[in-house]
Amino acid sequence: MLDPVDAELLARYPGPDRRAQPIHTAYVSADRVTAETPVAWGAAATELLDRHHDLLAELDSTRSLPAVRDRLQRNPIQDLRIDFEDGYGFRSDDEEDKAAITAGAVLSAWAEQSDGPASFGIRTKGLADAERHRALRTLELVLDAAGGVPAGFVFTVPKIRAAEQVSALVALSEAFERGYGLAEGTLRFELQIESPQAVIAADGTTPIARMIGLAGGRCSGLHFGTYDYTAACGIAAPDQALDHPAADYAKSVMQAAAAQTGVWICDGSTQIVPDTEPEAALRNHHRLVTRSLRRGYYQGWDMHPGHLITRWLATYEFFRQATAIAVPRLQAYLERRSGGVMDEPATAEALAATVLRGVNCGARGAGELGDLTIEVLQALVSRAPIPQGA
């Protein structure tokens, strides 16, 4: 009786794969993006860091600022979306057609850059009746101009409100794959959760879990839309923020729905950028990123070059502190010593996952883990037998 249940649970909840989740997604409007955008953002962020070094040194609890500066000069953006939605607005068809073709060429260039974003793509307009024709046309033009689906490409679909919209996205992806002669499952998408109807449907169910199932493995992430969501909930504009209780509730539902599915959760954005009051904005963003990390949201939107500074700084701090605790506990667990804390397999899994994230983002090097190896950490995460000789 339970064999089919086991099979269904394994299919729906395969656990994390071995992809490294980026720490952020940078958004750039389609009318402002070029192949040099990542380098330009890194240069602007470095200049801002140097200008406000004393403030940032005050925030830096783990002496991570030199590593952050190096990252900004070397590889500042891990994941980037060219935005054709709110950041771009409604333009004439001719204008958006041209921008889509340009975007495809830019994506193709990034795919060839060894120091460019590891993943990238576009955010289309939504699937509502007035927008979906434009969304599909833009996606098609981008892929045509890129010469197909570049490695690392994903498209983000905003304002998802119904599970049936995900079924349509799957059918669309399958059609593109047939058209380009690609293997099934090549084209993946992200769902942007910014409508209350995506969190609680009219019948009281939670659509997000069903959306992930209907995606059939094509959904790589759920992105939270801070301002659309809080506005739709009736939150006054001065109080709309990542740390509002309404936003926390939606993200908790997203987190629970995506748990053990392999789908990533991405926190939303803040509209406060370090332009007019840079010190206050830098402090605020550092606080928000740290808060999100502590709640298990390891990725978030960055909307301004200055956000890269405090994103990397808060992330390095978080994982340096976390791995300093996790590594000795894992070593004690493997040696079957208590070390003052009696860890169970679930805790060892979580500790190992934290250390792997720290290594993947660059906060720690593999040589800083003592006797632990990446293979051992991966085995602990998947609860597989520890490799012999490890």
Side-chain angles (χ1 to χ4, degrees), residues 80-141:
L80 199 155
R81 295 292 171 278
I82 301 175
D83 190 15
F84 285 92
E85 205 232 352
D86 286 348
Y88 181 73
F90 289 94
R91 314 287 181 100
S92 69
D93 282 340
D94 285 345
E95 186 174 359
E96 185 158 338
D97 284 353
K98 292 177 182 177
I101 293 169
T102 299
V106 169
L107 294 175
S108 180
W110 287 342
E112 298 298 323
Q113 294 173 0
S114 59
D115 57 349
S119 54
F120 44 75
I122 66 169
R123 177 169 70 164
T124 66
K125 289 181 169 60
L127 296 178
D129 180 55
E131 299 180 19
R132 59 178 170 256
H133 174 75
R134 181 64 259 182
L136 300 185
R137 179 171 176 80
T138 296
L139 178 60
E140 184 173 18
L141 287 171

Side-chain angles (χ1 to χ4, degrees), residues 139-158:
L139 178 60
E140 184 173 18
L141 287 171
V142 167
L143 294 178
D144 282 345
V149 181
F153 178 85
V154 63
F155 66 102
T156 306
V157 185

Side-chain angles (χ1 to χ4, degrees), residues 197-208:
Q197 294 78 22
V199 177
I200 300 179
D203 61 359
T205 59
T206 305
I208 299 176

Side-chain angles (χ1 to χ4, degrees), residues 31-66:
D31 60 340
R32 296 196 298 270
V33 73
T34 70
E36 289 71 41
T37 291
V39 173
W41 271 46
T46 302
E47 191 276 329
L48 188 66
L49 183 155
D50 291 341
R51 189 154 28 103
H52 297 282
H53 183 275
D54 291 346
L55 165 69
L56 294 163
E58 178 187 331
L59 297 176
D60 182 12
S61 62
T62 56
R63 299 182 181 180
S64 299
L65 208 53

Side-chain angles (χ1 to χ4, degrees), residues 331-342:
Q331 290 172 328
Y333 175 81
L334 292 171
E335 295 169 9
R336 297 298 187 268
R337 291 185 290 106
S338 71
V341 180
M342 295 296 291

Side-chain angles (χ1 to χ4, degrees), residues 278-347:
E279 292 196 0
L282 289 168
R283 286 184 185 276
N284 182 65
H285 191 247
H286 182 270
R287 176 186 67 83
L288 288 172
V289 174
T290 301
R291 182 181 188 274
S292 294
L293 289 167
R294 287 176 176 168
R295 283 158 176 76
Y297 311 132
Y298 300 114
Q299 181 181 358
W301 290 14
D302 288 330
M303 312 293 287
H304 184 280
H307 286 161
L308 300 182
I309 306 169
T310 36
R311 173 74 59 187
W312 283 109
L313 180 59
T315 300
Y316 277 7
E317 287 179 307
F318 177 82
F319 283 110
R320 287 184 174 187
Q321 291 169 346
T323 54
I325 295 170
V327 168
R329 284 177 62 178
L330 284 171
Q331 290 172 328
Y333 175 81
L334 292 171
E335 295 169 9
R336 297 298 187 268
R337 291 185 290 106
S338 71
V341 180
M342 295 296 291
D343 287 324
E344 297 184 353
T347 305

